[in-house]
Amino acid sequence: MEFDRMLIRYGELSTKGKNRKQFVTRLAQNVKRAMKDLPEVRIHGERDRMYIILNGADYQLAEERLKPIFGIQSFSPAVRVNLDLEEVKAAALSLVQDAHEENGTFKVAARRSHREFPLDSNEINQEIGAHVLQNIEDLTVNVKNPDVKLTIDVRKEGVFLSCRTILGAAGLPVGSSGRAMLMLSGGIDSPVAGYLAQKRGVEIEAVHFHSPPYTSEQAKQKAIDLAGKLAKYSGQVQMHIVPFTEIQEVIKQQIPESVIMTVTRRMMLRITDELRRKRNGLAIVNGESLGQVASQTLESMLAINAVTATPIIRPVVSMDKNEIIQIAQKIDTYNLSVQPFEDCCTIFTPLSPKTKPKLDKIEHYESFTDFDSLILKALENVETISVNVAENTEIKDEFADLF
């Protein structure tokens, strides 16, 4: 049967009270962005649910676009008929015929919010159930655990029928909790951190540090592809690629080897924070997992964080590697992340990095180098890429006017 719409249920959004409208508006924007290449689709957001009018668009393609959108508890491909009992019967029979298997079971679950319809909910269940049973010989009723559940929603604007309920991604609509900058390397952890932040409504903009010739174009493309995986949860991700070669070379020349990683991370954080300020972000997200590497001890985090007062969100901080890998596989970033292209965090790595660096010593080492001018130069040459679900990425603009 050809479905003409999708019925979206909000889940957690239904608890938002007076703020619900802004969450629904944000969800509608994200859905519209994900359907960007389906211009015929129309989206109607209401207080308790959302409708997508397909207008001939492929409903299966629409399903795939909806599955990863945060803020959707579940959705159903549906048909709409007029407030006419015979039309309801015909649509119900067609839906069940398409969905049922041999010797299957079904139930009807009707809800009537339009009180002028001549039958109440129980009467609709009985009338439609009897009609379906009379026309499908090998079908029986099972009200507790049916193979097919036919939902009927009677509203003023028509009757909506569906036989399938598809679980959504749940969570909050991306953007409803504000914007943050994601420090996106080419590894396993940072894409997972970005995904988990998005699930709680954070709009992420990715920041990737690129150090040619030490890091390759393949490494850069891998990071862009990872951003593309995250883009499907909101429809789009802005990505800022920072030229980092000169800063890393100076760090290698001027900073004691044992604390190279600490200083490198401090410079990355300073640059990310400036981009956050320019882009009106509220926080920084990274993939640090406590104790996983030398720069992720509490002492290292303290020394690195000292360069900013901006909140640092670490969604995977308490997870072990296997837990992170499981999520990476679920969101389809793992195979990309394990491609053997080095990123900035893996070059110039000391043999014996300090796991308990002292902040005063780090600041003393940095005081002999004009890192401010190097950071400004890097920021002036940042390129911003728009990574979309249904499009190839393209360079959008530069941050030449940052200061």
Side-chain angles (χ1 to χ4, degrees), residues 128-186:
I128 300 302
H131 178 72
V132 171
L133 284 172
Q134 289 169 5
N135 287 276
I136 303 178
E137 293 182 357
D138 61 342
L139 193 66
T140 57
V141 174
N142 184 334
V143 296
K144 292 186 177 180
N145 188 29
D147 298 320
V148 177
K149 180 180 178 181
L150 172 65
T151 61
I152 301 175
D153 189 5
V154 180
R155 293 176 164 244
K156 185 177 181 180
E157 60 270 25
V159 182
F160 301 87
L161 302 93
S162 177
C163 272
R164 294 176 58 216
T165 297
I166 304 163
L167 291 180
L172 298 174
V174 173
S176 62
S177 297
R179 177 181 297 158
M181 314 305 286
L182 169 66
M183 300 178 73
L184 182 65
S185 68

Side-chain angles (χ1 to χ4, degrees), residues 1 79 81 84-98 128 131-132 135 150 161:
M1 185 171 187
V79 295
V81 297
D84 178 86
L85 183 59
E86 294 305 313
E87 288 191 30
V88 176
K89 286 181 178 180
L93 178 59
S94 180
L95 283 170
V96 177
Q97 284 175 330
D98 286 349
I128 300 302
H131 178 72
V132 171
N135 287 276
L150 172 65
L161 302 93

Side-chain angles (χ1 to χ4, degrees), residues 373-385:
S373 62
L374 292 172
I375 288 173
L376 177 60
K377 183 178 179 181
L379 288 166
E380 288 173 343
N381 291 283
V382 169
E383 62 180 14
T384 295
I385 296 175

Side-chain angles (χ1 to χ4, degrees), residues 203-268:
E203 177 189 358
I204 60 168
E205 293 194 5
V207 180
H208 179 70
F209 294 87
H210 184 47
S211 293
Y214 307 106
T215 59
S216 65
E217 284 300 311
Q218 292 98 321
K220 176 181 174 181
Q221 186 59 50
K222 179 172 78 166
I224 294 172
D225 292 341
L226 287 169
K229 294 293 186 182
L230 297 177
K232 67 183 179 181
Y233 299 103
S234 60
Q236 184 184 67
V237 168
Q238 293 293 105
M239 183 171 183
H240 311 293
I241 300 176
V242 181
F244 202 56
T245 305
E246 187 174 4
I247 293 176
Q248 283 202 278
E249 289 178 336
V250 170
I251 290 172
K252 187 176 187 299
Q253 295 167 5
Q254 302 294 330
I255 301 297
E257 183 182 31
S258 63
V259 292
I260 280 179
M261 184 56 66
T262 302
V263 174
T264 298
R265 296 287 292 179
R266 280 166 60 88
M267 297 305 116
M268 288 179 171

Side-chain angles (χ1 to χ4, degrees), residues 309-322:
T310 300
I312 309 295
I313 300 174
R314 298 178 174 87
V316 302
V317 69
S318 64
M319 296 183 185
D320 63 35
K321 199 65 175 183
N322 287 334

